[in-house]
C-alpha cells in the first residue's frame, strides 16, 4: 500500500470514529446502548462516515500535504 492510501485511511478513520461517536451520543434517546450500537442506522452511519472520511476528506488533506511539501 502506498503512502497516500495509508495517510487517507488514517485521516479518514479518525474522522469516521469521531463523527460517529458524536452523532451517536447526540441522538441517543436514553435506551439501551447495545440496541443503539447494533441498529442498522448505526452501521449505515459508520459506513457513510468512514467512506466519506477516507475518500473525500483524506484525499483533500493529502493534496494539501503534497502542496505544502512541494513548496518547501
Amino acid at each position: 500500500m502506498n503512502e497516500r492510501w495509508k495517510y487517507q485511511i488514517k485521516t479518514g478513520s479518525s474522522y469516521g470514529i469521531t463523527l460517529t461517536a458524536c452523532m451517536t451520543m447526540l441522538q441517543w434517546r436514553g435506551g439501551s446502548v447495545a440496541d443503539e450500537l447494533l441498529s442498522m442506522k448505526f452501521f449505515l452511519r459508520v459506513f457513510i462516515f468512514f467512506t466519506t472520511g477516507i475518500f473525500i476528506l483524506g484525499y483533500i488533506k493529502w493534496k494539501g500535504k503534497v502542496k505544502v511539501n512541494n513548496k518547501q
Side-chain angles (χ1 to χ4, degrees):
M1 191 180 303
N2 64 14
E3 190 66 30
R4 180 185 133 205
W5 282 106
K6 289 179 186 176
Y7 183 80
Q8 281 186 232
I9 290 171
K10 183 178 77 171
T11 304
S13 297
S14 62
Y15 170 81
I17 290 169
T18 304
L19 213 55
T20 301
C22 289
M23 292 293 291
T24 303
M25 284 188 281
L26 289 174
Q27 293 181 351
W28 186 43
R29 291 175 175 50
S32 172
V33 175
D35 289 341
E36 182 68 31
L37 295 179
L38 295 175
S39 69
M40 188 56 124
K41 187 177 180 181
F42 176 77
F43 287 115
L44 182 63
R45 185 182 302 143
V46 169
F47 176 74
I48 290 171
F49 288 150
F50 269 78
T51 54
T52 302
I54 291 171
F55 291 110
I56 296 174
L57 182 71
Y59 181 75
I60 291 169
K61 289 189 70 119
W62 174 257
K63 285 295 184 181
K65 180 180 175 182
V66 168
K67 186 183 249 187
V68 167
N69 287 342
N70 286 341
K71 286 184 180 182
Q72 292 177 354

